[in-house]
Amino acid sequence: MDTKYIEVDKNVDNLNTYPQIIDAAKRLKQNEVVAFPTETVYGLGGNAKSDDAVRKIFEAKGRPSDNPLIIHISELEQIHEFVDAVPEKARTLMKTFWPGPLTIIFQKKEGVLSEIATAGLSTVAIRMPEHPVALALIQASGLPIAAPSANRSGRPSPTTAEHVWEDLNGRVSAIVDAGPTGIGVESTVLDCTGELPQILRPGGVTKEQIEAEIGIVKVDPALTNQEEAPKSPGMKYTHYAPDAPLFLVKGGREYIQQLISDKKNEGFRVGVLTTEENRAYYTSDFVQVCGRRSQLETVASGLYDALRSFNKADVEIIFSEVFENKGVGVAIMNRLLKAAGHKVITEA
Ligand code: AMP
Ligand code: MG
């Protein structure tokens, strides 16, 4: 398949009437799949009502069919087409965080959306993205858009159109490029079908922010205990892994440098994932800086690009610093632990 590369300036007015957006929207209406930017990561969108379109999303990504997709909308009222009852707490959160990086799980209205999109579940995950291009595209298509991250399954999610191109060129109808995404980690997934809402995936909206609005929420125990089965189907899959083995190191800079030096002496090409504050302390074959640890948002924003960079640098082993498990640091550590296959080295 010929993949059309469509560049869009996200700052122009009336984006939804812009020829490039109309072109992309037309492809969605024809049940083709189109990659587009959101404020979290690039998504791979398709008509959420069409089995045909949704099947193409799963095929292009190589995504397991038991992993449901998030349905993206551009206006609050759209929700009533897919959901019978909006719980009070969900309503409060929608008012505060939509558009934005919060996905909410509802009981689904039957017979409206593709069963393949929701993996046959009785629930549906919905979010309204904040990116002007995403909103314009959904609006111009007039459709609910099912969209997972626009990467090949298992790879780090894409935060630039180049990442999407690396993974999906020739496999999708078009890629809409509007520059790098901002937040850099995916949306928070919050299940609002139970008595007490429960975080199934940490992401762009923090637990602290949610609790400030609706009081205490639960966190899926599987997020902190590997013995538990995750409640979100997607959370059981390995994800984000660079080609070389990645080890997270709980320890000081001297300890990390010692690990690097030992491996170099054994003849390995060693990569290290660090931050602005610590970059000067390491001597290694490849030093990848990912934001400032004093501003965790900058780490989130650069994380997937940093993980991807190790493949290009052809390293054979990677050591990474760890981050504070607070605020967006919870999402960062969740993704890093997955990328590392939970391999953690702790300084004695
Ligand atoms: P992705 O869009 O690839 O970042 O993944 C979306 C995440 O939302 C995956 O972890 C899915 O398993 C999860 N998800 C989507 N729909 C549901 C649902 N109805 N119940 C629980 N998790 C869901
Ligand atoms: Mg994904």
Side-chain angles (χ1 to χ4, degrees):
M1 183 191 310
D2 229 12
T3 297
K4 182 156 184 201
Y5 199 87
I6 302 176
E7 279 183 87
V8 174
D9 175 358
K10 66 177 180 192
N11 298 315
V12 301
D13 291 335
N14 300 322
L15 260 174
N16 55 340
T17 59
Y18 203 60
Q20 281 86 337
I21 294 288
I22 299 292
D23 176 358
K26 191 167 142 210
R27 290 164 194 265
L28 290 172
K29 285 191 259 193
Q30 291 166 340
N31 295 336
E32 294 301 328
V33 295
V34 173
F36 62 94
T38 77
E39 78 281 20
T40 57
V41 301
Y42 272 75
L44 179 60
N47 177 2
K49 293 179 170 178
S50 156
D51 284 347
D52 189 31
V54 171
R55 227 179 257 120
K56 287 178 188 168
I57 297 176
F58 280 90
E59 267 166 30
K61 282 183 58 94
R63 183 175 174 107
S65 61
D66 69 345
N67 189 3
L69 308 180
I70 296 171
I71 312 302
H72 293 68
I73 59 175
S74 58
E75 268 142 74
L76 275 178
E77 302 72 55
Q78 265 177 294
I79 187 133
H80 303 295
E81 200 186 330
F82 320 113
V83 172
D84 281 316
V86 177
E88 193 54 44
K89 284 179 181 167
R91 198 183 306 272
T92 305
L93 294 172
M94 286 156 62
K95 267 195 211 133
T96 310
F97 296 110
W98 283 8
L102 177 69
T103 295
I104 301 179
I105 313 262
F106 300 93
Q107 287 300 341
K108 160 181 102 169
K109 203 183 261 189
E110 291 298 330
V112 189
L113 294 164
S114 157
E115 280 291 310
I116 304 170
T118 54
L121 298 177
S122 61
T123 54
V124 58
I126 303 185
R127 106 169 174 102
M128 188 194 294
E130 195 170 21
H131 197 290
V133 169
L135 286 171
L137 185 57
I138 299 167
Q139 226 167 55
S141 74
L143 294 167
I145 299 298
S149 49
N151 51 287
R152 292 292 288 266
S153 240
R155 303 249 300 146
S157 299
T159 50
T160 66
E162 289 74 30
H163 295 163
V164 181
W165 188 261
E166 280 168 20
D167 280 19
L168 298 179
N169 179 28
R171 307 179 68 88
V172 300
S173 173
I175 298 172
V176 179
D177 178 1
T181 60
I183 294 171
V185 291
E186 297 86 341
S187 60
T188 303
V189 176
L190 183 75
D191 183 353
C192 283
T193 61
E195 193 57 35
L196 207 55
Q198 175 162 222
I199 294 179
L200 305 187
R201 173 175 78 179
V205 173
T206 66
K207 176 170 186 269
E208 294 87 337
Q209 287 175 301
I210 293 171
E211 290 189 329
E213 295 299 323
I214 58 166
I216 201 131
V217 297
K218 285 196 285 187
V219 175
D220 184 353
L223 292 176
T224 46
N225 178 359
Q226 271 185 274
E227 311 284 295
E228 300 270 343
K231 296 194 174 54
S232 169
M235 296 299 281
K236 68 175 179 282
Y237 294 106
T238 21
H239 215 157
Y240 315 116
D243 295 340
L246 166 68
F247 294 83
L248 308 191
V249 188
K250 290 187 177 159
R253 298 166 189 138
E254 292 74 18
Y255 182 71
I256 296 179
Q257 182 57 49
Q258 193 56 54
L259 290 172
I260 296 168
S261 302
D262 289 349
K263 279 294 161 193
K264 279 177 67 69
N265 290 338
E266 287 174 38
F268 287 95
R269 249 182 86 74
V270 186
V272 57
L273 188 117
T274 180
T275 43
E276 288 293 350
E277 289 93 335
N278 293 343
R279 66 188 305 168
Y281 292 89
Y282 299 114
T283 312
S284 193
D285 296 296
F286 182 68
V287 179
Q288 176 63 52
V289 174
C290 180
R292 304 187 66 83
R293 57 176 50 252
S294 57
Q295 288 165 281
L296 284 178
E297 290 70 26
T298 63
V299 177
S301 165
L303 185 64
Y304 293 142
D305 188 59
L307 287 173
R308 280 176 180 254
S309 72
F310 290 107
N311 292 350
K312 291 181 200 119
D314 247 350
V315 295
E316 294 159 305
I317 185 166
I318 308 159
F319 296 109
S320 171
E321 296 177 351
V322 294
F323 297 90
E324 200 185 2
N325 238 320
K326 248 176 75 183
V328 76
V330 179
I332 294 169
M333 282 308 294
N334 171 265
R335 307 310 192 268
L336 271 177
L337 279 162
K338 275 173 164 281
H342 292 267
K343 295 189 294 295
V344 181
I345 302 172
T346 308
E347 185 174 3

